[in-house]
Amino acid sequence: MRTVRWIAYGLVVVVVAAVALVWVQRGGLSGFNAARIGVSVPGGVSVGGPFTLVNGQGKTVTDADFRGRFMLVYFGYTFCPDVCPTDLQLMTNAMELLGKDAARVAPIFITVDPARDTPQVIGEYTKLFSDKLVGLTGTPEQIAAAARAYRVYYAKASSAQSTTYLMDHSSFIYLMGPDGKLSALFSQGTTAKDLADGIRAKLAGTS
Ligand code: NI
């Protein structure tokens, strides 16, 4: 049994090394240099893209509606017990720190749980943080397409009871430029000040 286990470990090491090698050859960290405190995206990987979703008032919203402004995008779900509220509060605090520059940025919360996050649910939820926070939902297909474009992973974590399940989801904060392209990527654990500074640096580059 021990031999089998070591062979399995060896295989994992080989696979990880191969993936790392391919990634480095394709540009690695040098391909995309996000904001100072941001996260780097491997070169050649496109993040973001068109979406057609529904806002808290039941109105259809597309990415084109935000063109000319930055979008601060976060994917999550309103039933999330901890991570999403923390990150949405972080975004809200960063927006406040931006002062009048905040007018150039649209904070957006896109649900990965359209089954429970109806337009009304997401509209009421985002108001708990800020009137400026745009909550978006849609059909499962619309959400899947948006998540795919943003390289968001999400899945139901538990299906013991149909209405009380949790969702696993990746939790990056995306800063999209006025052209709709990725400007910077922020990970969990960023402070509101660092997030605001990172956004301001990008705003300065495009004013
Ligand atoms: Ni969450």
Side-chain angles (χ1 to χ4, degrees), residues 74 76-77 80 83-84 169:
Y74 186 82
Y77 66 114
C80 183
V83 177
C84 293
H169 64 94

Side-chain angles (χ1 to χ4, degrees), residues 18-36:
V19 169
L21 184 66
V22 168
W23 182 66
V24 167
Q25 282 173 343
R26 292 181 59 179
L29 286 171
S30 62
F32 185 92
N33 222 335
R36 183 170 50 89

Side-chain angles (χ1 to χ4, degrees), residues 148-171:
R148 204 157 44 232
Y150 279 78
R151 315 266 167 178
V152 169
Y153 161 80
Y154 67 102
K156 245 187 211 187
S158 140
S159 54
Q161 278 182 300
S162 61
T163 54
T164 58
Y165 57 87
L166 297 178
M167 302 284 295
D168 288 330
H169 64 94
S170 47
S171 48

Side-chain angles (χ1 to χ4, degrees), residues 64-80:
D65 295 330
F66 300 97
R67 216 42 42 81
R69 295 169 76 197
F70 282 77
M71 298 188 291
L72 193 62
V73 181
Y74 186 82
F75 286 78
Y77 66 114
T78 70
F79 286 77
C80 183

